[in-house]
Amino acid sequence: MEAKDNIEKLRKQVQHHEYLYYVLDKPEISDAEYDRLFSELKALEARHPDLITADSPTQRVGGEPLKSFKTVTHKKPLLSLDNAMNEAELEEFDRRVREGLGEEIVEYVCELKMDGLAVALVYKNGRFQVGSTRGDGVQGEDITRNLKTIKSLPLILNKEIDLEVRGEVYLPYDDFIKLNEEREAEDETKFANPRNAAAGSLRQLDPKITADRPLDIFVYFAEINHDLKTHFARLEYARNLGFKINPNIKLCHGLAEVKKYIKHWDNGREKLDYEIDGIVIKVNDIADQHKLGFTARAPRWAIAFKYPPLQAETMVEDIKVQVGRTGAITPVAYLKPVHLAGVMVKRATLHNEDEVKRKGIEIGDYVIVQRAGEVIPEVVKVSRHSAHAKPFKMPKHCPICDSALYRPEGEAITRCINARCPAQVKERIRHFCTREAMEIEHVGPALVEQLVENKLIKDVADLYSLKKTDLEKLERFAEKSAQNVIDSIRNSKDRPHDRLLYALGIRMVGRTVAALLAQHYDSLEDLLNIKAEDLQKIHGIGPKVAELVEHFFSQKDNHKLIERLKNAGIRVKGQGSRVPQLLKNLTFVFTGGMETMTRPGAEELVRQLGGHPASSVSKQTDYVVAGTDPGSKYDKAKKLGVKIINEDEFKKLLGGSI
Ligand code: IVH
């Protein structure tokens, strides 16, 4: 009995100090003292294994890797938030809220909008039971064991109550940079941004990997204690229960104070050690929240004010061109390194020749760069022109294979049309191995470079005949790492065939088009010698894409490649995974003409991606896509305050997949 008491006492102590350190950031004992307590607890538990419980602080990491995640149905759907992109939209929100409540001035809670991953945490009797991802809002994945590895997430609360809280899991900037440096050193693909890194870390089947990533969590919503009548009081209460609540939340009386808060953090956000992409504004009074209610997708009592992307100024030291996997020649600005949103920016894409001209960018100029959530920053404009600047000239020959470059009439992109150009070969193989394609771990850019340079492979099919001994000949390769590479190549053989279709790197075939093709053609072989006119019958596939797909599958070289992939034992048919439901439950109305797709095509895409196309605008409409010369639907949308977007923004919603 004495052991049990001792263990419990120690657990309480360890837990208390973890709370002070990880949640409140106010430690009362030294790290060494904490380590001593923790080791003592571990030693005692080791002597009495029957007394170990799952929620002991020593048990944050444990268990065998899972085969897959279980699905969890959320008790209440995890909704999204409507966005305000500018002050006018924010004022509109405040006006609607005041009208809805019949009040002159409303009390709001302002919070930072962390750019991470939404999770739901369920507690029973004060003990952490299940944690899940947002998923499609209705169902998510059970990631309990991974969430347990987050030190600021309480396993046991101060009260034995049942409750559900929601929050955002994120990876601090410093840890994100460190993680990417490690990945680069190990030739693994780098994460595009802290958000992707957090998502990738949470979706590990082996909690030991998650435990290595210093994830953190802020709780922003708690459905607790009905005596508490305000959101602010509930968050305070949740903090006392043991949850980490962002210290920067603020009560704001009326819109003027909200605007002040927004301004303050627009200037201050770069100093935070995590990424935020806006401010969330919530009606504080819970009864008022109920009065205002929800739309199909978001609460009417809250809005996310989105900040514009972070920008910085620096000098263009050089402009060089890069050769992509489709032979596209992209000018890239080499910049004087500058700190931007937590990362050092050294390069920025300039897209194409015309863009460089249009923006008037010359070598030696000072420019504004921005990073909008993605890896590759872009140059917004020239801020100071240098008198000594040198203009950029598109080369006439490929910098890699020296063949003549070609820019078709009416197109913006200059290309190297030598399919055997080593740069293209390497890029195609790299693309094939990426996470979204065949997901071949351990085969990153540096290894592909080595393999091609050493003439061990010249296309993607060659990957599957690599031997361990081939790899061991390479520099810096040990037996274990060679085996890892061979294993991950072998493990990729059974990917659903839409992934293979995407991995082949056909121009303009993103993940959505690949999934559409896989839905209509059960096997890659059915696509050989396919005609563009047949492909165009698939809604969502336009003439340009159809032509490119026809071209790809008409090439004898590609027939041979597919044959070799098949002979290597790669799945070329079946199990085409479903099209990602990116627009699930969203209603779209189209008005006006579009440039790159037809209206029925766009409507079919919406349907395929889980949304609903509608013919008339109502309050239930989520988006009106306005093309050229929009009709009366546009005015109606304006009147009802429905979000209006253009064709480009619509395509962005498709996740860059078309
Ligand atoms: S409240 C019904 N508060 O933003 C309440 N969300 O665009 C809905 N987020 O899915 C969420 N920080 O992942 C809320 N302080 C905050 C937030 C926050 C980040 C994320 C969350 C949500 C998304 C909505």
Side-chain angles (χ1 to χ4, degrees):
M1 224 50 248
E2 199 189 333
K4 189 162 184 247
D5 290 347
N6 276 342
I7 283 181
E8 263 165 23
K9 207 171 110 216
L10 267 173
R11 273 185 199 152
K12 282 228 164 74
Q13 279 177 304
V14 168
Q15 221 162 272
H16 176 66
H17 290 295
E18 284 185 348
Y19 176 69
L20 292 173
Y21 184 92
Y22 292 107
V23 177
L24 301 184
D25 202 13
K26 281 188 198 130
E28 284 174 4
I29 59 172
S30 69
D31 289 4
E33 277 173 275
Y34 166 81
D35 289 344
R36 193 187 52 76
L37 284 175
F38 194 86
S39 315
E40 205 181 313
L41 174 60
K42 260 192 120 158
L44 207 54
E45 284 182 341
R47 264 182 276 136
H48 303 276
D50 49 315
L51 296 177
I52 299 178
T53 56
D55 42 29
S56 165
T58 61
Q59 304 299 306
R60 283 194 180 265
V61 190
E64 288 300 304
L66 295 171
K67 290 259 180 308
S68 63
F69 294 113
K70 277 193 295 198
T71 303
V72 178
T73 304
H74 301 303
K75 248 198 278 160
K76 281 191 191 156
L78 267 72
L79 294 175
S80 179
L81 289 172
D82 280 334
N83 292 330
M85 306 305 282
N86 49 45
E87 282 215 354
E89 289 182 11
L90 181 68
E91 283 161 8
E92 180 60 25
F93 164 75
D94 178 56
R95 194 190 54 72
R96 277 201 307 268
V97 168
R98 283 186 291 114
E99 248 177 47
L101 299 175
E103 282 171 29
E104 282 287 301
I105 192 160
V106 175
E107 187 164 68
Y108 296 107
V109 180
C110 285
E111 300 171 12
L112 304 183
K113 184 168 188 295
M114 270 80 59
D115 199 11
L117 222 83
V119 294
L121 313 174
V122 176
Y123 286 78
K124 276 231 163 74
N125 284 327
R127 276 155 205 271
F128 179 45
Q129 287 267 309
V130 180
S132 53
T133 61
R134 173 171 190 269
D136 62 9
V138 178
Q139 290 187 321
E141 284 173 324
D142 181 340
I143 49 162
T144 310
R145 294 206 310 173
N146 292 346
L147 286 167
K148 271 178 77 175
T149 67
I150 302 177
K151 300 276 205 345
S152 57
L153 183 149
L155 300 176
I156 302 176
L157 304 177
N158 293 337
K159 279 204 168 65
E160 292 187 354
I161 53 172
D162 293 354
L163 89 160
E164 175 164 343
V165 299
R166 288 167 183 191
E168 196 86 350
V169 172
Y170 67 95
L171 188 67
Y173 274 138
D174 285 355
D175 298 304
F176 162 69
I177 291 166
K178 226 168 57 209
L179 177 63
N180 262 355
E181 281 169 0
E182 282 165 22
R183 290 179 77 83
E184 189 161 31
E186 286 176 16
D187 206 14
E188 288 179 88
T189 23
K190 295 203 280 180
F191 288 111
N193 47 43
R195 188 195 135 76
N196 286 4
S201 307
L202 266 188
R203 295 199 65 258
Q204 292 291 333
L205 293 167
D206 183 354
K208 288 191 189 67
I209 300 179
T210 314
D212 265 348
R213 314 262 173 92
L215 294 168
D216 210 331
I217 182 170
F218 280 123
V219 164
Y220 54 64
F221 177 83
E223 191 143 89
I224 31 172
N225 198 336
H226 291 283
D227 300 342
L228 298 172
K229 297 196 168 46
T230 65
H231 173 63
F232 198 80
R234 288 185 175 188
L235 289 186
E236 286 287 319
Y237 186 80
R239 182 182 280 136
N240 289 330
L241 281 176
F243 293 106
K244 184 163 175 171
I245 310 292
N246 192 293
N248 303 307
I249 56 170
K250 192 169 187 294
L251 262 180
C252 288
H253 198 59
L255 192 65
E257 286 187 27
V258 170
K259 284 184 181 172
K260 242 166 73 192
Y261 183 89
I262 289 175
K263 197 149 181 192
H264 174 79
W265 285 107
D266 194 7
N267 298 326
R269 65 180 153 144
E270 262 197 277
K271 291 185 202 82
L272 291 168
D273 64 1
Y274 44 85
E275 184 153 352
I276 63 167
D277 60 349
I279 298 295
V280 183
I281 300 122
K282 302 173 182 170
V283 169
N284 189 29
D285 191 280
I286 305 287
D288 284 350
Q289 289 185 359
H290 290 315
K291 228 186 263 174
L292 291 163
F294 298 87
T295 66
R297 121 194 164 98
R300 288 203 186 84
W301 44 263
I303 197 149
F305 181 89
K306 285 293 197 73
Y307 282 132
L310 282 169
Q311 300 188 332
E313 187 186 49
T314 187
M315 195 191 64
V316 179
E317 291 182 329
D318 202 356
I319 299 179
K320 294 187 193 168
V321 297
Q322 238 172 31
V323 189
R325 74 186 142 86
T326 59
I329 305 288
T330 314
V332 176
Y334 283 66
L335 307 164
K336 193 167 164 225
V338 61
H339 200 75
L340 174 62
V343 285
M344 263 315 196
V345 175
K346 297 187 198 111
R347 275 177 238 173
T349 174
L350 296 171
H351 302 290
N352 57 55
E353 198 178 356
D354 293 350
E355 178 94 350
V356 181
K357 282 218 186 79
R358 197 169 59 76
K359 289 184 174 160
I361 303 162
E362 298 191 347
I363 301 160
D365 283 346
Y366 276 83
V367 292
I368 303 291
V369 286
Q370 75 177 24
R371 212 176 61 93
E374 287 314 313
V375 231
I376 317 158
E378 57 172 7
V379 174
V380 186
K381 60 174 187 198
V382 173
S383 53
R384 283 184 283 154
H385 185 63
S386 155
H388 310 290
K390 280 194 305 196
F392 161 73
K393 271 214 204 72
M394 184 54 102
K396 298 260 177 294
H397 295 272
C398 173
I400 306 296
C401 71
D402 207 35
S403 51
L405 295 182
Y406 170 67
R407 178 172 168 189
E409 263 302 301
E411 280 191 25
I413 308 281
T414 305
R415 285 179 197 281
C416 164
I417 46 172
N418 168 21
R420 295 204 166 76
C421 169
Q424 288 182 50
V425 168
K426 286 175 202 163
E427 286 304 320
R428 278 200 296 268
I429 300 173
R430 279 175 199 164
H431 168 77
F432 188 84
C433 300
T434 51
R435 211 171 316 150
E436 294 77 20
M438 298 298 271
E439 202 177 353
I440 307 186
E441 252 188 295
H442 309 295
V443 185
L447 180 57
V448 171
E449 174 85 28
Q450 270 185 309
L451 292 171
V452 175
E453 287 298 319
N454 285 288
K455 306 213 162 32
L456 288 169
I457 58 173
K458 42 182 201 323
D459 61 26
V460 295
D462 287 341
L463 283 169
Y464 295 92
S465 36
L466 274 175
K467 289 187 212 56
K468 210 164 100 180
T469 48
D470 294 333
L471 293 165
E472 280 166 3
K473 280 183 220 138
L474 298 175
E475 229 176 281
R476 289 190 307 128
F477 246 95
E479 202 212 313
K480 173 96 171 67
S481 40
Q483 190 59 48
N484 284 343
V485 169
I486 298 293
D487 288 348
S488 45
I489 293 175
R490 198 190 46 233
N491 290 341
S492 74
K493 288 186 180 180
D494 201 36
R495 304 269 181 259
H497 92 291
D498 65 322
R499 297 267 294 262
L500 176 58
L501 258 163
Y502 170 69
L504 289 173
I506 307 165
R507 264 180 70 198
M508 289 184 79
V509 177
R511 283 156 65 195
T512 308
V513 172
L516 283 176
L517 288 171
Q519 247 178 14
H520 287 82
Y521 297 93
D522 191 44
S523 156
L524 220 60
E525 287 166 316
D526 297 345
L527 282 159
L528 300 180
N529 304 315
I530 190 82
K531 289 280 162 274
E533 60 202 64
D534 291 326
L535 290 166
Q536 272 199 67
K537 289 185 193 140
I538 303 177
H539 281 303
I541 293 191
K544 180 91 194 158
V545 176
E547 192 191 313
L548 290 166
V549 174
E550 175 190 296
H551 178 75
F552 182 91
F553 286 105
S554 69
Q555 302 292 302
K556 288 280 163 300
D557 273 357
N558 290 334
H559 289 195
K560 276 190 218 146
L561 181 76
I562 291 165
E563 186 65 24
R564 283 168 56 225
L565 287 170
K566 205 177 106 185
N567 290 341
I570 291 159
R571 169 199 288 284
V572 294
K573 65 173 169 187
Q575 229 198 46
S577 70
R578 288 196 317 124
V579 183
Q581 300 291 288
L582 297 170
L583 307 181
K584 189 155 177 156
N585 292 334
L586 296 178
T587 303
F588 286 77
V589 174
F590 293 88
T591 173
M594 294 208 276
E595 270 172 34
T596 60
M597 52 181 99
T598 62
R599 175 127 23 123
E603 288 179 349
E604 179 63 17
L605 258 182
V606 168
R607 235 173 261 126
Q608 300 266 3
L609 298 177
H612 315 289
S615 52
S616 62
V617 180
S618 74
K619 273 196 170 160
Q620 268 69 50
T621 312
D622 290 293
Y623 291 99
V624 167
V625 184
T628 45
D629 297 325
S632 61
K633 292 178 197 168
Y634 180 88
D635 302 325
K636 182 146 185 217
K638 269 225 122 122
K639 216 170 87 201
L640 292 176
V642 172
K643 200 153 200 91
I644 302 173
I645 57 175
N646 62 25
E647 186 174 338
D648 270 351
E649 289 165 322
F650 171 64
K651 287 209 256 182
K652 277 203 189 120
L653 289 180
L654 309 178
S657 43
I658 193 162

